[in-house]
Amino acid sequence: GNRNQALILREHESLVGRNPEDAKSEYLSIVKEWGYYGTTFFPPCRSAGNRNLPNKVIIGVNYEGIQLLKPKNKQRISEHLFTEICSWASSSGTFAFEFGNQNESQKYTFETRMGPIIASTIQTYIDILVQILKNGDDDDDDDDESETGTTISQCSE
């Protein structure tokens, strides 16, 4: 009660007069450390006969890859980095992705109307990562139109 109020007031007093830009930078440096920073989560969807997965999962996409979480407690089930994702596909009612390496790969399929949006979110991250790798973080040539393939040649065919 009162002890917490005193702590909050003391902290507030220490921040009075701080430059707003510095405060924003400090805030971002703190939240960037959080495990799910920058992750887009999609509503729980049904897992379509995937071994090792519960009946329903939450799909999260961020700059590192795809995360699968339990809907009830938001506990992480698995994480699949873009470096191990071979391909992904979507339709109006499904989303699927394949992960693994040249020797062995596995495919997860989900029943969700968000499939095209999930696929588009992944493609956007991939496009940004490719630009960064290609240009060393220069983004002055946004006018080149390139095809967007969703198969990466590191998985078994």
Side-chain angles (χ1 to χ4, degrees), residues 55-93:
N55 206 16
K56 282 197 160 193
V57 300
I58 293 173
I59 297 173
V61 177
N62 66 19
Y63 66 96
E64 293 181 315
I66 299 171
Q67 301 183 34
L68 302 178
L69 284 71
K70 293 179 180 176
K72 279 191 170 40
N73 61 11
K74 312 299 184 280
Q75 185 181 358
R76 184 181 291 148
I77 300 163
S78 63
E79 183 175 27
H80 306 277
L81 302 177
F82 285 133
T83 53
E84 66 183 42
I85 294 173
C86 317
S87 64
W88 61 93
S90 67
S91 70
S92 58

Side-chain angles (χ1 to χ4, degrees), residues 27-39 62-64 67 76:
Y27 170 78
L28 283 174
S29 72
I30 292 169
V31 299
K32 281 180 181 175
E33 300 301 315
W34 296 354
Y36 297 124
Y37 172 77
T39 303
N62 66 19
Y63 66 96
E64 293 181 315
Q67 301 183 34
R76 184 181 291 148

Side-chain angles (χ1 to χ4, degrees), residues 88-149:
W88 61 93
S90 67
S91 70
S92 58
T94 63
F95 170 74
F97 71 96
E98 186 182 358
F99 59 97
N101 56 43
Q102 289 168 334
N103 302 322
E104 184 182 359
S105 64
Q106 190 175 348
K107 185 177 181 179
Y108 282 161
T109 303
F110 305 93
E111 296 172 13
T112 173
R113 290 196 305 260
M114 302 296 283
I117 298 167
I118 298 169
S120 172
T121 303
I122 292 170
Q123 189 64 56
T124 300
Y125 276 117
I126 294 290
D127 291 347
I128 291 168
L129 291 169
V130 166
Q131 278 304 121
I132 289 170
L133 290 172
K134 208 166 69 177
N135 303 348
D137 211 4
D138 263 354
D139 47 305
D140 53 3
D141 61 341
D142 292 334
D143 53 350
D144 70 336
E145 302 224 353
S146 59
E147 288 185 30
T148 55

